Amino acid sequence: MTLSIVACPGQGSQTAGFLGSWLTEVQGFRSELEKLSSASGLDLVSLGTTADDAQIKNTAIAQPLIVASSIAAYRTLFVTTSVRGVLGHSVGEFAAAAIAGVISDSDAMRLVVIRANAMANAAAEHPTSMAAILGGDPSEVALTVAEMGLQIANHNGAGQLVAAGEKSQIAALIASPPVKSRVIELKVAGAFHTHYMDTARHELAEAVKEVEVLDPIMQLWSNVDGQICNSGQSFLSSLVSQVTSPVRWDLCMASLPEEQFDFIELPPAGALTGLVKRSVANANPIALKMPTDFERVIK
């Protein structure tokens, strides 16, 4: 039996209409998404099919839509498929927490809605942004970022870092990129995973106090240090601190299994499998962009 690890993507992976085929081709997907809609207070069916790009790029919409998509796909596809563990990128960790049994699906949705709205509100307070830095020497890139007054928000591995800070500082970074690198501004509302999100962190911290927490039923990697977390409470606490601290996806990839395994990215898939393909030689990356992609998974 092939070892399987599932991954839950983060913000920016969604595209207009991406759930169309999932709703029509996967038995039970619609009912799962409707349950998650009820928990979130959003019409996720409509948002995943008829909403335009501008609507689903809105932080308050994007985050719950992405988390719900991953949860619904896992609940409907992996009924008979054995999974060793799960990990998520940024907001994808809420889906990972639900899949690992740390919190319920409905609590994951309620929390992510609070997080998304709070982060959107925090971003509206000040003009901030984020940019991906591709290539360059990591130490030189980090030095340039610091000199410009920016912070590293995502350590994505595979030669990719994400800087965050004042919008003017991001513009300066784009104008003068580190040597042998390209800088691309991301279509996000603000400087996530930095101190600019401090009010959002406080709001989420209050919300998690009302949630029932259990220890994970499978291996669960944390973005904090890339290690497997065996405590549900510790993982939930990390979801709060993560709002203002960097995502260490590079460390997550470094601690994946040493034997051959399927790395299966749940929808909206593609970004994480791309990083793993370039960084983890013993992984078989499978991006579930369409329901038919699941045929590549050995049950």
Side-chain angles (χ1 to χ4, degrees):
M1 180 181 294
T2 301
L3 170 63
S4 295
I5 304 293
V6 295
C8 308
Q11 191 168 342
S13 50
Q14 75 283 4
T15 55
F18 76 96
L19 286 182
S21 59
W22 292 89
L23 287 159
T24 57
E25 297 175 24
V26 180
Q27 184 176 1
F29 191 93
R30 179 179 289 272
S31 62
E32 288 290 336
L33 199 62
E34 287 173 345
K35 286 190 291 185
L36 298 170
S37 293
S38 296
S40 67
L42 298 168
D43 184 353
L44 298 169
V45 173
S46 175
L47 290 169
T49 53
T50 62
D52 60 25
D53 276 324
Q55 285 178 283
I56 65 171
K57 284 176 183 174
N58 180 338
T59 298
I61 298 299
Q63 293 189 9
L65 180 60
I66 290 165
V67 169
S69 302
S70 294
I71 293 174
Y74 184 82
R75 298 297 179 214
T76 50
L77 293 180
F78 289 80
V79 178
T80 60
T81 302
S82 177
V83 172
R84 170 77 64 85
V86 61
L87 67 166
H89 185 285
S90 188
V91 74
E93 287 204 297
F94 284 80
I99 289 168
V102 170
I103 55 178
S104 68
D105 292 357
S106 57
D107 279 339
M109 294 309 301
R110 283 191 286 269
L111 289 177
V112 80
V113 166
I114 291 169
R115 178 191 196 265
N117 283 308
M119 291 177 77
N121 291 336
E125 293 176 3
H126 202 72
T128 57
S129 187
M130 304 176 77
I133 305 169
L134 311 176
D137 179 84
S139 59
E140 291 183 12
V141 169
L143 181 61
T144 300
V145 167
E147 288 176 344
M148 290 186 169
L150 295 163
Q151 298 176 55
I152 301 295
N154 293 0
H155 297 258
N156 285 334
Q160 182 186 125
L161 294 168
V162 175
E166 301 273 349
K167 201 161 182 63
S168 59
Q169 294 169 328
I170 292 293
L173 179 66
I174 293 170
S176 299
V179 176
K180 296 182 179 179
S181 74
R182 290 188 299 125
V183 180
I184 304 170
E185 187 167 10
L186 303 181
K187 296 178 181 179
V188 294
F192 302 149
H193 303 293
T194 70
H195 65 88
Y196 291 100
M197 296 291 113
D198 201 46
T199 56
R201 179 177 60 82
H202 284 295
E203 194 168 336
L204 184 60
E206 288 300 311
V208 301
K209 293 177 182 178
E210 309 300 321
V211 174
E212 181 182 1
V213 186
L214 300 172
D215 289 336
I217 59 174
M218 63 178 70
Q219 291 181 342
L220 175 63
W221 282 262
S222 171
N223 282 178
V224 171
D225 56 8
Q227 298 303 302
I228 292 171
C229 183
N230 297 313
S231 165
Q233 191 58 61
S234 293
F235 193 81
L236 192 64
S237 296
S238 75
L239 293 184
V240 175
S241 62
Q242 177 212 59
V243 174
T244 54
S245 61
V247 173
R248 296 306 307 257
W249 183 255
D250 56 338
L251 299 181
C252 286
M253 292 194 296
S255 65
L256 287 170
E258 295 182 358
E259 65 263 45
Q260 291 290 322
F261 67 98
D262 282 346
F263 178 90
I264 308 163
E265 185 178 1
L266 301 171
L272 300 183
T273 46
L275 293 170
V276 165
K277 185 176 183 179
R278 296 192 295 274
S279 302
V280 187
N282 55 306
N284 175 34
I286 301 173
L288 300 183
K289 298 181 179 181
M290 304 287 287
T292 50
D293 291 324
F294 192 66
E295 295 171 5
R296 297 172 57 199
V297 178
I298 301 175
K299 300 182 179 181

